[in-house]
Amino acid sequence: MALEQKLILASGSPRRLDLLNQAGIKPAKLMPMDIDETPKRSEHPRSLARRLSTEKAEAALAALRDDPAWRHSYVLSADTVVAVGRRILEKTEYTDEAHAALHLLSGRGHWVYTGICLVTPGGKFRQKVVQTKVRFKRLSSGEIENYIASGQWRGKAGAYAIQGIAGSFVQKLVGSYTNVVGLPLYEVMALLAGEGFDVAAGWPEG
């Protein structure tokens, strides 16, 4: 891959890496950024997704500043936020948090926002927030208990991963499915292509 084609993914999410690989893009470097993801007071979930994706990109740039090997790279970051109205459902680590989130999502719609930030080799920031409306079926207590026992909620915003068992909870989805997984592929590919990245360079030849 040519120097100007190097892409750094400022994320440690295996789901985002899998989605990029699915689209034929293999990042040259993975840089998980450990930043404070606490929402600000009265911060809208859409604004939070945009801010955190930008802060992750800025942190990656700062870490790479003195490394000439990565000076002409593209940097891509993303952050996904799940919300019911303006109520942000943060990543769940404990079973009581998962119970509360799943009971809240049961039988109602919610929004998934993913902020994406692309920094070009020339230092230009390109940002976008993609939103998807998701509606869960009404979950029984048994379904919630069994899902919690699976462990698939752990570390997930809104206590679920749509690409796992929780996909069977989705009654309706309006918008991008890959956005709910964690990286809206259509928008990411459009941003990359628009900034001169050859998105088809890594595609297989039949």
Side-chain angles (χ1 to χ4, degrees):
M1 185 180 283
L3 180 63
E4 64 271 15
Q5 276 282 110
K6 285 184 179 178
L7 176 67
I8 296 168
L9 178 61
S11 172
S13 167
R15 294 163 297 285
R16 292 188 179 119
L17 179 59
D18 287 346
L19 285 169
L20 281 177
N21 289 342
Q22 175 187 321
I25 295 178
K26 298 191 182 301
K29 186 179 182 66
L30 301 180
M31 291 188 67
M33 291 292 104
D34 185 17
I35 65 170
D36 184 359
E37 299 185 6
T38 306
K40 295 181 179 178
R41 186 172 181 180
S42 301
E43 188 170 25
H44 191 280
R46 183 184 184 90
S47 300
L48 176 64
R50 181 184 177 90
R51 176 173 66 82
L52 294 182
S53 64
T54 303
E55 289 181 359
K56 288 178 181 179
E58 290 172 340
L61 285 175
L64 293 166
R65 185 170 293 127
D66 298 323
D67 190 342
W70 302 100
R71 189 165 293 153
H72 302 290
S73 301
Y74 292 80
V75 176
L76 176 68
S77 64
D79 193 85
T80 301
V81 175
V82 176
V84 175
R86 291 181 63 99
R87 179 175 175 180
I88 296 167
L89 303 184
E90 298 184 50
K91 294 177 181 176
T92 49
E93 300 296 341
Y94 303 101
T95 55
D96 58 339
E97 296 172 337
H99 269 285
L102 292 168
H103 278 289
L104 181 63
L105 297 178
S106 175
R108 64 163 50 164
H110 61 275
W111 290 98
V112 179
Y113 302 89
T114 299
I116 51 179
C117 182
L118 175 68
V119 187
T120 70
K124 182 166 65 173
F125 279 68
R126 293 291 311 278
Q127 297 159 291
K128 191 173 184 65
V129 179
V130 180
Q131 63 184 46
T132 302
K133 184 69 177 291
V134 182
R135 183 178 181 85
F136 270 17
K137 69 175 185 176
R138 189 167 296 282
L139 302 174
S140 68
S141 296
E143 285 174 316
I144 291 175
E145 291 299 333
N146 288 335
Y147 185 66
I148 287 176
S150 76
Q152 292 188 9
W153 53 272
R154 198 176 300 278
K156 306 295 192 302
Y160 77 94
I162 196 171
Q163 69 274 21
I165 295 168
S168 65
F169 300 161
V170 177
Q171 192 174 59
K172 186 176 182 180
L173 185 149
V174 180
S176 167
Y177 171 81
T178 56
N179 181 53
V180 184
V181 179
L183 194 70
L185 276 184
Y186 168 78
E187 289 81 4
V188 167
M189 299 291 273
L191 279 181
L192 285 167
E195 294 302 328
F197 190 96
D198 184 359
V199 297
W203 290 7
E205 296 181 5

